[in-house]
Amino acid sequence: MAVTDPDWKIRYSRHLALPGFGTEGQEWLARGSVLLVGLGGLGSPAALYLAAAGVGRLLLNDFDHVDPSNLQRQILYGDASVGKPKTEAAAAAVKALNPHCAVETLEGRLDAATLVGTVSRVDVVLDGSDNFGTRFAVNQACVQSKKPLVSGAALRYEGQLTVFDPRVAASPCYACLYEEGGEALESCRENGVLSPLTGAIGSLMAVEAVKLLSGVGAPLTGRLLRYDAATGDFHYSAIKRDPACPVCNRT
């Protein structure tokens, strides 16, 4: 869809009217590309909002199939999606929402070598995966490729979000905060998670990606946002680069 197309102006009219965003911001989105690692509770709203916002290309990665237990929070899917690969069902949902968004599916776990090549092809990476192994591998690839990483998590009633941007000298990376080989990442299978909490954090991940792509606003680089859905409280804390980090200080 061309910028001069009347339908383009109608579809994105609320962005075009947005102070500080306008046509230039929308054009940046149209040229932008995002890799979403994990198409679960966080990746679902993020993918839908990025497609709706007009991001030009989405790479969708997951290794799982849709299970009935996913439907409580993973809004990319419905009953008809159960049993299908998440990448396949997600691509169909994204294309139904915005057929002008180019979609590439990457089914299966991405190994370290594949991740570096994949990350290098996009502008921004969103990590909504549910295990430390994937998170550390994604972080390593983003640091190596110098691509910004939007990292989110949600469990029980609590969510958190930050941006790691290796293009920014003072930015920490994921390995600055967490030690590889430490305690296992807690699972919502055992601990539960509030359904709309994943929507809130996933939507905020999409907001950060839009800001990074368009240059509008100030991303959460160097700041960790924590949201307690039980109390409605938001907390921000500064996070700093670890001078002894084995990842971002050796790349």
Side-chain angles (χ1 to χ4, degrees):
M1 182 182 289
V3 175
T4 55
D5 191 322
D7 292 337
W8 186 89
K9 295 181 178 179
I10 294 172
R11 177 181 282 268
Y12 302 116
S13 59
R14 300 316 189 259
H15 272 174
L16 302 182
L18 187 62
F21 199 92
T23 299
E24 184 177 1
Q26 194 61 47
E27 289 175 342
W28 276 109
L29 291 190
R31 292 191 292 267
S33 55
V34 177
L35 167 64
L36 292 99
V37 181
L39 300 171
L42 303 177
S44 286
L48 290 173
Y49 268 115
L50 291 174
V55 173
R57 184 165 60 99
L58 297 181
L59 278 65
L60 307 178
N61 169 245
D62 206 294
F63 62 89
D64 211 352
H65 288 64
V66 181
D67 183 84
S69 65
N70 300 150
L71 303 182
Q72 169 250 12
R73 64 201 177 282
Q74 299 181 16
I75 58 173
L76 274 169
Y77 318 115
D79 283 339
S81 305
V82 172
K84 295 181 180 179
K86 285 187 176 180
T87 51
E88 175 187 324
V94 166
K95 294 299 287 186
L97 178 61
N98 189 349
H100 307 288
C101 177
V103 177
E104 180 180 338
T105 58
L106 303 167
E107 188 174 357
R109 294 184 186 272
L110 300 177
D111 59 30
T114 305
L115 263 172
V116 172
T118 304
V119 167
S120 67
R121 296 194 290 119
V122 299
D123 299 308
V124 178
V125 178
L126 267 64
D127 188 355
S129 60
D130 60 0
N131 67 88
F132 273 135
T134 298
R135 286 178 177 260
F136 279 108
V138 170
N139 176 70
Q140 175 77 55
C142 287
V143 171
Q144 186 171 335
S145 303
K146 297 192 180 301
K147 296 298 174 75
L149 169 62
V150 181
S151 180
L155 187 71
R156 295 184 287 266
Y157 298 96
E158 300 170 357
Q160 65 180 44
L161 169 73
T162 190
V163 173
F164 304 111
D165 193 342
R167 302 171 302 176
V168 177
S171 173
C173 78
Y174 190 81
C176 291
L177 273 67
Y178 302 100
E179 182 179 354
E180 191 166 6
E183 295 183 9
L185 193 65
E186 292 184 284
S187 166
C188 63
R189 184 188 300 272
E190 292 81 23
N191 295 275
V193 64
L194 186 67
S195 171
L197 169 65
T198 63
I201 299 299
S203 297
L204 287 172
M205 292 173 73
V207 169
E208 294 303 309
V210 167
K211 290 194 294 185
L212 287 162
L213 290 170
S214 66
V216 173
L220 279 170
T221 308
R223 293 181 294 157
L224 179 67
L225 165 65
R226 291 187 175 93
Y227 171 52
D228 186 337
T231 63
D233 292 330
F234 285 87
H235 299 280
Y236 293 88
S237 56
I239 51 177
K240 296 182 179 180
R241 188 173 186 178
D242 180 0
C245 177
V247 177
C248 64
N249 280 295
R250 293 185 183 177
T251 303

